Amino acid sequence: MDILFVCLGNICRSPLAEGIARHYADKLGLNTKVDSAGTSGWHNGESPCEGSIKVARVHNIDISHLKSRKVSIYADIGFDLLVGMDRANIADLLDLGFEKHKVRKLGEFGLKNADVPDPYHYRNSDGFQSVYKMLDTGIRNLFQEYFEIKINYD
Ligand code: 4NP
């Protein structure tokens, strides 16, 4: 079960989602590949944004080594599940040609179908903390749905 998290820039939301999901997958010893990418390619090769690195670190997750890359129908066709952060990401993934049944929005996993807001322009850490909480809740619910595992710990 290989999962690709997707946002616009691949510097704020999806690298944070990748870090959280890998943290749980490692703890649980799951045989799953976790990665992230952006629909835009605007930040190719860049590290995650400072707010995402910091909020991850608060939760003992290191995402500082990740590098932004653009999603590709050729390179990423092998993923079983592509999880977009908002409705624009979903529309872009479908436009690129990914199969509809493989494309889901994180908000579908116990978040009342909400879009995860883009925190790129947030000046303080509160926005990143609330994005972290949404991602963490959605990923716990995703793991429960796909792996039938309930995560009750940090
Ligand atoms: P992300 O946030 O999609 O969560 O990585 C953004 C990063 C950069 C931009 C927009 C959103 N941007 O316009 O450059």
Side-chain angles (χ1 to χ4, degrees):
M1 177 72 196
D2 296 342
I3 308 171
L4 184 70
F5 292 97
V6 177
C7 64
L8 178 62
N10 192 214
I11 53 169
C12 298
R13 293 165 292 177
S14 61
L16 189 52
E18 175 186 345
I20 296 168
R22 181 169 299 121
H23 174 76
Y24 292 138
D26 286 351
K27 275 200 168 191
L28 292 161
L30 296 177
N31 182 22
T32 181
K33 178 171 149 190
V34 176
D35 197 1
S36 67
T39 55
S40 67
W42 294 335
H43 296 274
N44 273 346
E46 290 181 25
S47 302
C49 61
E50 199 59 36
S52 291
I53 291 176
K54 280 187 178 159
V55 77
R57 196 171 283 145
V58 169
H59 297 271
N60 289 316
I61 296 172
D62 181 17
I63 60 166
S64 62
H65 56 287
L66 300 180
K67 296 283 182 242
S68 174
R69 71 174 181 88
K70 189 172 196 245
V71 67
S72 150
I73 187 72
Y74 306 106
D76 298 318
I77 194 75
F79 283 93
D80 304 294
L81 183 63
L82 294 99
V83 182
M85 297 294 136
D86 60 33
R87 64 195 76 183
N89 304 151
I90 302 301
D92 288 342
L93 288 171
L94 296 176
D95 280 351
L96 283 171
F98 288 101
E99 292 174 81
K100 201 166 181 189
H101 72 274
K102 291 187 177 179
V103 177
R104 307 252 336 239
K105 194 170 84 166
L106 192 77
E108 292 173 39
F109 299 97
L111 295 168
K112 298 178 177 161
N113 208 31
D115 286 339
V116 180
D118 160 14
Y120 186 52
H121 298 289
Y122 290 170
R123 290 205 185 82
N124 59 41
S125 61
D126 291 358
F128 283 92
Q129 189 55 248
S130 84
V131 164
Y132 184 94
K133 183 90 191 70
M134 283 185 87
L135 296 177
D136 187 55
T137 301
I139 289 164
R140 284 171 191 254
N141 290 325
L142 185 158
F143 273 47
Q144 190 164 351
E145 183 173 325
Y146 282 90
F147 302 113
E148 295 175 7
I149 286 169
K150 196 162 176 65
I151 301 170
N152 292 314
Y153 49 80
D154 284 343

